[in-house]
């Protein structure tokens, strides 16, 4: 047996066995909750707690580079997985790493339009990375390259908690 590698913290739209939120040991979380077809992986606790979870979905707190814990949940391969991290170089690095085990994972609100639409909310990424990322799609790769190059400003970062709630609602409505 593999050693215990951490806990998975998640929420559902309704209640799960009487609980609104749970943390379960990753090695004991062997199947998705019943009737769940989509999982949203969010990196920030504020957005995780405020996220309006659709009925068929669950939201998982990813916690930055905690992807190895999620890698233990083999059943995620069978779900529609959406990843939402900060729009910065590390956000794209985490997405790339997640896709190593969940190649079907799609990003959410990590695009140029979202970045440019929230210009007043940009902050500076303290220690950007410039590692090669092979698992980003064409648009994600282009934006990652622009962030590395400082195309908009040096070390641009748009933290997910700074994105408008209306943008979140629209992304959910658009599927």
């Amino acid at each position: 047996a593999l050693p215990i590698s951490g806990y998975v913290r998640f929420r559902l739209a309704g209640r799960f066995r009487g609980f609104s939120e749970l943390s379960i040991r990753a090695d004991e979380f062997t199947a998705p909750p019943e009737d769940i077809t989509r999982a949203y992986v969010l990196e920030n606790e504020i957005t995780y707690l405020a996220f309006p979870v659709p009925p068929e979905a669950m939201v998982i707190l990813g916690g930055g580079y905690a992807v190895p814990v999620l890698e233990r949940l083999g059943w995620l391969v069978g779900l529609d997985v959406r990843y939402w991290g900060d729009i910065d170089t590390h956000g794209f690095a985490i997405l790339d790493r997640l896709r190593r085990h969940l190649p079907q994972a799609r990003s959410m609100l990590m695009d140029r339009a979202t970045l440019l639409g929230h210009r007043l909310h940009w902050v500076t990424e303290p220690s950007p990375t410039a590692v090669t990322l092979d698992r980003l799609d064409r648009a994600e790769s282009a934006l990652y390259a622009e962030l590395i190059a400082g195309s908009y400003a040096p070390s641009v970062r748009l933290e997910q908690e700074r994105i408008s709630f209306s943008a979140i609602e629209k992304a959910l409505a658009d599927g």
Side-chain angles (χ1 to χ4, degrees), residues 13-52:
R15 293 196 167 272
F16 179 70
R17 301 183 184 195
F19 298 98
S20 60
E21 178 183 29
L22 287 172
S23 289
I24 298 177
R25 287 184 180 196
D27 62 333
E28 296 175 358
F29 202 1
T30 58
E34 191 174 316
D35 299 323
I36 296 300
T37 60
R38 180 177 292 167
Y40 294 93
V41 178
L42 279 59
E43 294 306 317
N44 180 281
E45 186 175 28
I46 293 168
T47 51
Y48 161 80
L49 291 171
F51 193 80

Coordinates of all heavy atoms in Angstrom, one line a residue, residues 13-52:
A13 N -22.8 20.8 -3.9 CA -23.9 21.8 -3.9 C -24.9 21.6 -2.7 O -25.3 22.5 -2.1 CB -24.6 21.7 -5.2
G14 N -25.2 20.3 -2.5 CA -26.1 20.0 -1.4 C -25.3 19.5 -0.2 O -24.1 19.9 0.0
R15 N -25.8 18.5 0.5 CA -25.0 18.0 1.6 C -24.6 16.6 1.2 O -25.2 15.9 0.4 CB -25.9 17.9 2.8 CG -26.2 19.3 3.4 CD -26.7 19.2 4.8 NE -26.8 20.5 5.4 CZ -25.8 21.0 6.1 NH1 -24.6 20.4 6.2 NH2 -25.9 22.2 6.6
F16 N -23.5 16.2 1.7 CA -22.9 14.8 1.5 C -22.9 14.1 2.8 O -22.2 14.4 3.8 CB -21.5 14.9 1.0 CG -20.8 13.6 0.7 CD1 -21.2 12.8 -0.3 CD2 -19.8 13.2 1.6 CE1 -20.6 11.6 -0.5 CE2 -19.1 12.0 1.3 CZ -19.5 11.2 0.3
R17 N -23.9 13.2 2.9 CA -24.1 12.4 4.2 C -24.2 13.3 5.4 O -23.7 13.0 6.5 CB -22.9 11.4 4.3 CG -22.9 10.4 3.2 CD -21.8 9.4 3.3 NE -21.8 8.6 2.1 CZ -21.2 7.5 2.0 NH1 -20.6 7.0 3.0 NH2 -21.2 6.9 0.8
G18 N -24.9 14.4 5.2 CA -25.2 15.3 6.3 C -24.2 16.4 6.5 O -24.3 17.3 7.3
F19 N -23.1 16.4 5.7 CA -22.0 17.4 5.8 C -22.0 18.3 4.6 O -22.2 17.9 3.5 CB -20.7 16.7 5.9 CG -20.6 15.8 7.2 CD1 -20.8 14.5 7.0 CD2 -20.3 16.3 8.4 CE1 -20.7 13.6 8.1 CE2 -20.2 15.5 9.5 CZ -20.4 14.2 9.4
S20 N -21.7 19.6 4.8 CA -21.6 20.5 3.7 C -20.2 20.6 3.2 O -20.0 21.0 2.0 CB -22.0 21.9 4.2 OG -21.2 22.4 5.3
E21 N -19.2 20.1 4.0 CA -17.8 20.1 3.5 C -17.1 19.0 4.3 O -17.4 18.7 5.5 CB -17.2 21.5 3.9 CG -15.7 21.5 3.5 CD -15.1 22.9 3.9 OE1 -15.5 23.5 4.9 OE2 -14.1 23.2 3.2
L22 N -16.2 18.3 3.6 CA -15.4 17.3 4.2 C -13.9 17.3 3.8 O -13.6 17.8 2.8 CB -16.0 15.9 3.8 CG -17.3 15.5 4.4 CD1 -17.8 14.2 3.8 CD2 -17.2 15.3 5.9
S23 N -13.1 16.8 4.7 CA -11.7 16.5 4.4 C -11.5 15.0 4.6 O -11.8 14.5 5.7 CB -10.7 17.2 5.3 OG -10.8 18.6 5.0
I24 N -11.1 14.3 3.6 CA -10.9 12.8 3.6 C -9.5 12.5 3.2 O -8.9 13.1 2.3 CB -11.9 12.2 2.6 CG1 -13.4 12.5 3.0 CG2 -11.7 10.7 2.6 CD1 -14.4 11.9 2.1
R25 N -9.0 11.5 3.9 CA -7.6 11.0 3.5 C -7.7 10.6 2.1 O -8.6 9.8 1.7 CB -7.2 9.8 4.4 CG -6.8 10.2 5.8 CD -6.3 9.0 6.5 NE -6.0 9.5 7.9 CZ -5.2 8.8 8.7 NH1 -4.7 7.6 8.3 NH2 -4.9 9.3 9.9
A26 N -6.7 11.0 1.3 CA -6.7 10.7 -0.1 C -6.7 9.2 -0.4 O -7.4 8.8 -1.3 CB -5.5 11.4 -0.8
D27 N -6.0 8.4 0.4 CA -5.9 7.0 0.1 C -7.2 6.3 0.5 O -7.4 5.1 0.1 CB -4.7 6.4 0.8 CG -4.8 6.5 2.3 OD1 -5.4 7.4 2.8 OD2 -4.2 5.6 3.0
E28 N -8.1 7.0 1.2 CA -9.4 6.4 1.5 C -10.6 6.9 0.6 O -11.7 6.4 0.7 CB -9.8 6.7 3.0 CG -8.8 6.1 4.0 CD -9.0 6.5 5.4 OE1 -10.0 7.3 5.7 OE2 -8.3 6.0 6.3
F29 N -10.3 7.9 -0.2 CA -11.3 8.5 -1.1 C -11.2 7.8 -2.4 O -10.7 8.2 -3.4 CB -11.0 10.0 -1.2 CG -12.1 10.9 -1.6 CD1 -13.4 10.4 -1.8 CD2 -11.9 12.2 -1.8 CE1 -14.4 11.2 -2.2 CE2 -12.9 13.1 -2.2 CZ -14.2 12.6 -2.4
T30 N -11.9 6.6 -2.4 CA -11.7 5.7 -3.5 C -12.7 5.8 -4.7 O -12.6 5.2 -5.7 CB -11.7 4.2 -3.0 OG1 -13.0 4.0 -2.4 CG2 -10.6 3.9 -2.1
A31 N -13.7 6.6 -4.5 CA -14.7 6.9 -5.5 C -15.3 8.2 -5.4 O -15.4 8.8 -4.2 CB -15.8 5.8 -5.5
P32 N -15.8 8.8 -6.4 CA -16.5 10.1 -6.3 C -17.8 10.0 -5.6 O -18.4 8.9 -5.6 CB -16.7 10.6 -7.7 CG -16.8 9.3 -8.5 CD -15.9 8.3 -7.8
P33 N -18.3 11.1 -5.0 CA -19.6 11.1 -4.4 C -20.6 10.7 -5.5 O -20.4 11.0 -6.7 CB -19.8 12.5 -3.9 CG -18.4 13.0 -3.6 CD -17.6 12.3 -4.7
E34 N -21.7 10.1 -5.1 CA -22.7 9.7 -6.0 C -23.3 10.9 -6.9 O -23.5 12.0 -6.4 CB -23.9 9.1 -5.2 CG -24.9 8.4 -6.1 CD -26.0 7.7 -5.2 OE1 -25.6 7.0 -4.2 OE2 -27.2 7.8 -5.5
D35 N -23.5 10.6 -8.2 CA -24.1 11.5 -9.1 C -23.1 12.7 -9.5 O -23.6 13.7 -10.0 CB -25.4 12.0 -8.7 CG -26.4 10.9 -8.5 OD1 -26.4 10.0 -9.4 OD2 -27.3 11.0 -7.6
I36 N -21.9 12.6 -9.2 CA -20.9 13.7 -9.5 C -20.3 13.4 -10.8 O -19.7 12.3 -11.0 CB -19.9 13.9 -8.4 CG1 -20.5 14.3 -7.1 CG2 -18.8 14.8 -8.8 CD1 -21.2 15.6 -7.1
T37 N -20.3 14.3 -11.8 CA -19.7 14.1 -13.1 C -18.6 15.1 -13.4 O -17.9 15.0 -14.4 CB -20.8 14.2 -14.2 OG1 -21.4 15.5 -14.1 CG2 -21.9 13.1 -14.0
R38 N -18.5 16.2 -12.6 CA -17.5 17.2 -12.8 C -16.9 17.6 -11.5 O -17.5 17.6 -10.4 CB -18.2 18.4 -13.4 CG -17.2 19.6 -13.7 CD -17.9 20.8 -14.3 NE -18.3 20.4 -15.7 CZ -19.1 21.1 -16.4 NH1 -19.7 22.2 -16.0 NH2 -19.4 20.7 -17.7
A39 N -15.6 17.9 -11.5 CA -14.8 18.4 -10.4 C -14.1 19.7 -10.7 O -13.5 19.7 -11.8 CB -13.8 17.3 -9.9
Y40 N -14.3 20.7 -9.9 CA -13.6 21.9 -10.1 C -12.5 21.9 -9.0 O -12.8 21.7 -7.8 CB -14.5 23.1 -9.8 CG -15.6 23.3 -10.8 CD1 -16.9 22.7 -10.6 CD2 -15.4 24.0 -12.0 CE1 -17.9 22.9 -11.6 CE2 -16.4 24.2 -12.9 CZ -17.6 23.6 -12.7 OH -18.6 23.8 -13.7
V41 N -11.3 22.1 -9.5 CA -10.1 22.2 -8.6 C -9.7 23.7 -8.5 O -9.4 24.3 -9.5 CB -8.9 21.4 -9.1 CG1 -7.7 21.5 -8.1 CG2 -9.4 19.9 -9.2
L42 N -9.9 24.2 -7.3 CA -9.6 25.6 -7.1 C -8.4 25.7 -6.1 O -8.3 24.9 -5.2 CB -10.8 26.4 -6.5 CG -11.9 26.8 -7.4 CD1 -12.5 25.7 -8.2 CD2 -12.9 27.6 -6.7
E43 N -7.6 26.8 -6.3 CA -6.3 26.9 -5.5 C -6.5 27.7 -4.3 O -5.7 27.6 -3.4 CB -5.2 27.4 -6.4 CG -4.8 26.5 -7.5 CD -4.4 25.1 -7.0 OE1 -3.7 25.0 -5.9 OE2 -4.9 24.1 -7.6
N44 N -7.4 28.6 -4.2 CA -7.5 29.6 -3.2 C -8.7 29.3 -2.2 O -9.8 29.0 -2.7 CB -7.7 31.0 -3.8 CG -7.8 32.0 -2.7 OD1 -8.9 32.2 -2.2 ND2 -6.7 32.8 -2.5
E45 N -8.5 29.3 -0.9 CA -9.6 29.0 0.0 C -10.8 29.9 -0.1 O -11.9 29.5 0.1 CB -9.0 28.9 1.4 CG -10.0 28.4 2.4 CD -9.5 28.3 3.8 OE1 -8.6 29.0 4.2 OE2 -10.0 27.4 4.6
I46 N -10.5 31.2 -0.3 CA -11.6 32.2 -0.4 C -12.6 31.8 -1.6 O -13.8 31.7 -1.4 CB -11.1 33.6 -0.6 CG1 -10.4 34.0 0.7 CG2 -12.2 34.6 -0.9 CD1 -9.5 35.3 0.6
T47 N -12.0 31.6 -2.7 CA -12.8 31.2 -3.9 C -13.4 29.8 -3.7 O -14.6 29.6 -4.1 CB -12.1 31.3 -5.2 OG1 -10.8 30.6 -5.1 CG2 -11.8 32.8 -5.6
Y48 N -12.7 28.9 -3.1 CA -13.2 27.6 -2.8 C -14.5 27.7 -2.0 O -15.5 27.0 -2.2 CB -12.2 26.7 -2.1 CG -12.7 25.5 -1.4 CD1 -13.0 24.4 -2.1 CD2 -12.8 25.6 0.0 CE1 -13.4 23.2 -1.4 CE2 -13.3 24.4 0.7 CZ -13.6 23.3 0.0 OH -14.0 22.2 0.7
L49 N -14.5 28.5 -0.9 CA -15.6 28.6 0.0 C -16.8 29.4 -0.6 O -17.9 29.1 -0.3 CB -15.2 29.3 1.3 CG -14.2 28.4 2.2 CD1 -13.7 29.3 3.3 CD2 -14.9 27.2 2.7
A50 N -16.5 30.3 -1.5 CA -17.6 31.1 -2.1 C -18.1 30.5 -3.4 O -19.1 31.0 -3.9 CB -17.0 32.5 -2.4
F51 N -17.4 29.5 -4.0 CA -17.7 29.0 -5.3 C -19.2 28.4 -5.3 O -19.5 27.6 -4.5 CB -16.7 27.9 -5.7 CG -16.8 27.5 -7.1 CD1 -16.1 28.3 -8.1 CD2 -17.4 26.3 -7.5 CE1 -16.1 27.9 -9.4 CE2 -17.4 25.9 -8.8 CZ -16.7 26.7 -9.8
P52 N -20.0 28.9 -6.3 CA -21.4 28.3 -6.4 C -21.4 27.0 -7.1 O -21.4 26.9 -8.3 CB -22.1 29.4 -7.2 CG -21.0 30.0 -8.1 CD -19.7 29.9 -7.3

